[in-house]
Amino acid sequence: MSSAESLIANFPETPEGKQAQQLIPELEKAAAYDAMGQQWRYDRSDEGMSGKAVISAQVTSTNTINLDFPYSGAQHGTLTLRRHPRWGNDVIFRIERGQILCHSYGDCTINVKFDDGKVIRLNGNPPEDNSSEVVFIPGFSTFTKQLPNAKRVKIEVSLYQAGNEVFEFDVSGFKPENFK
């Protein structure tokens, strides 16, 4: 882009300068596409036992919540999509501190909303290690179908001594090709 702009500024009447002028809209479009989705982090690592790839896509909430002591302070939520060779495909929601009310013996309702669509009510699952900051959300295929066209996702979870809290995610620019 800078080379094209330099050609236009310094040599506007040359064939190269004129060609650069014609390329600017395409270059701007390509630069905008590359910049879109910068909030997503994609990772690929080897799973220890099988040696096969674990692929994840992760985004942090745009808003923060504040909980009472001992979980005080602003904190974000994290939304992760993961393809694991042994454990399968998962949608994982995590908070930094606190307790998501999701027990193996009780109700664990997670509300999800893509853009201005209808609220999707799902029953979350706690992790096997019983950590209270994580919940697995069923609906991997729903997420992977909706995300490429969505701009935002809201996830509502119930937190210990805080009630329901909503975390908002800018999911624009999700690139499925980076998640394969």
Side-chain angles (χ1 to χ4, degrees), residues 131-145:
S131 58
S132 62
E133 300 88 11
V134 177
V135 64
F136 286 77
I137 303 173
F140 181 84
S141 62
T142 299
F143 273 81
T144 56
K145 286 177 188 172

Side-chain angles (χ1 to χ4, degrees), residues 57-132:
Q58 188 175 80
V59 65
T60 302
S61 66
T62 56
N63 66 320
T64 59
I65 64 162
N66 286 294
L67 301 176
D68 291 333
F69 179 82
Y71 308 115
S72 313
Q75 63 174 302
H76 291 91
T78 304
L79 174 63
T80 304
L81 277 72
R82 179 183 74 179
R83 293 184 189 273
H84 195 285
R86 287 194 301 159
W87 313 126
N89 299 330
D90 296 301
V91 177
I92 305 166
F93 174 78
R94 174 186 306 271
I95 58 174
E96 295 167 344
R97 298 174 304 282
Q99 297 179 43
I100 299 171
L101 296 178
C102 191
H103 306 287
S104 58
Y105 55 82
D107 186 33
C108 181
T109 301
I110 310 293
N111 291 317
V112 177
K113 185 175 180 179
F114 292 91
D115 294 322
D116 294 323
K118 292 182 179 180
V119 173
I120 303 168
R121 205 176 159 113
L122 300 165
N123 289 318
N125 300 305
E128 285 186 10
D129 68 358
N130 293 317
S131 58
S132 62

Side-chain angles (χ1 to χ4, degrees), residues 43-56 82-88:
D43 186 52
R44 178 183 216 89
S45 60
D46 288 336
E47 192 270 331
M49 293 299 285
S50 69
K52 295 180 180 176
V54 176
I55 303 165
S56 65
R82 179 183 74 179
R83 293 184 189 273
H84 195 285
R86 287 194 301 159
W87 313 126

